[in-house]
Amino acid sequence: MRTAPRPGIVAVVTAAAAARPDLEAERLQCERAAQGDRAALGQLLRKYGPSLYRAVLLPRLGSDAAAQDALAETYARVVERFSQFQWQSCGIYPWLRVIALRIALDMLRARRREALFEPEDLQREIDAAETDLTARGEVELCEKRDLADARARVEDALGRLNPRYAEAIRLRVLEERPRDEVALALGVSVATFDVVLHRAMTALKKALAAGVAAPRAELKEGVR
């Protein structure tokens, strides 16, 4: 017995977007916010803030504290520039997402030494997102794509590093543990740990840039 073919991702996104009866209510809420209704704007931010934090900021910044700071800055930027927002049939989330991405880009540029992603990578993502906001209009699917893409890239890259490098990154960058604590866990001095982390971040960025084709021999170089 033949089974019906599974719908492609375009069909799924289209169907999901068409099934959003809340869009008209959101449009009216945006109109009120544009007219100065702070309560309406606050409701929009509370609705989409968790998705921006969970799927946009945290995966790219790799730090809970940095993601929280970025979310607060995103809120401030939205309040400041809401008059520039123009309603589209995809809703407000794609516009909010681009603002959050730009905040993340600024933070990556400021803390480049311990950043998981290169600012140039995020800039390309922002350019693509701004080209067609409607391509990411359905929030739930957009959030799942963001999370899956970021997680897959980082986990794949970490899996191809020297295990000691990967552990240094997980403990210091992803879990935000203090330098002395991570140095103790790795059995090295703090000064040596700084060298290890620098080499680890360099190797990780090479892996992220090269993707699955990155040479394993180069990425698994020994740690001294």
Side-chain angles (χ1 to χ4, degrees):
M1 180 178 178
R2 297 179 61 185
T3 58
R6 296 178 63 184
I9 187 64
V10 175
V12 172
V13 172
T14 301
R20 285 190 60 191
D22 61 317
L23 275 177
E24 178 59 20
E26 184 171 294
R27 184 184 68 79
L28 295 175
Q29 202 169 30
C30 288
E31 286 185 357
R32 293 197 301 272
Q35 293 167 2
D37 188 334
R38 289 300 181 93
L41 182 54
Q43 289 172 357
L44 289 167
L45 293 176
R46 284 192 296 274
K47 178 179 180 180
Y48 292 121
S51 291
L52 294 173
Y53 168 83
R54 182 173 56 243
V56 178
L57 298 170
L58 185 58
R60 290 165 177 82
L61 296 173
S63 159
D64 176 70
Q68 292 284 2
D69 289 344
L71 183 62
E73 181 62 28
T74 298
Y75 285 170
R77 189 77 58 86
V78 169
V79 171
E80 176 188 339
R81 301 186 180 182
F82 196 79
S83 61
Q84 301 175 12
F85 172 68
Q86 295 183 341
W87 176 261
Q88 297 189 48
S89 60
C90 57
I92 193 175
Y93 182 76
W95 185 73
L96 296 175
R97 179 177 178 272
V98 169
I99 291 178
L101 286 171
R102 289 200 172 281
I103 297 298
L105 175 62
D106 291 342
M107 295 185 71
L108 285 182
R109 286 171 171 163
R111 55 185 278 261
R112 190 161 186 160
R113 184 172 182 270
E114 294 183 3
L116 290 177
F117 294 95
E118 293 287 356
E120 292 79 7
D121 294 336
L122 192 49
Q123 182 62 65
R124 284 191 291 270
E125 187 176 2
I126 292 171
D127 293 341
E130 287 185 322
T131 299
D132 184 9
L133 291 176
T134 63
R136 288 181 175 267
E138 208 288 309
V139 179
E140 184 176 353
L141 288 175
C142 178
E143 181 176 348
K144 288 180 179 179
R145 278 195 297 262
D146 274 335
L147 284 171
D149 290 349
R151 185 181 297 117
R153 287 187 63 195
V154 173
E155 288 301 326
D156 175 73
L158 287 175
R160 290 183 286 111
L161 297 184
N162 180 290
R164 197 172 178 83
Y165 283 178
E167 185 69 4
I169 292 171
R170 289 185 190 280
L171 294 178
R172 176 60 178 158
V173 181
L174 300 183
E175 298 181 17
E176 298 184 271
R177 296 192 189 184
R179 290 165 60 236
D180 56 349
E181 180 180 325
V182 181
L184 181 62
L186 295 179
V188 298
S189 68
V190 173
T192 298
F193 167 69
D194 288 341
V195 175
V196 171
L197 183 62
H198 174 72
R199 292 177 178 174
M201 294 303 298
T202 299
L204 177 64
K205 290 175 180 180
K206 287 181 181 178
L208 288 170
V212 295
R216 291 176 179 265
E218 178 184 350
L219 297 175
K220 288 186 177 289
E221 59 187 353
V223 181
R224 293 183 172 81

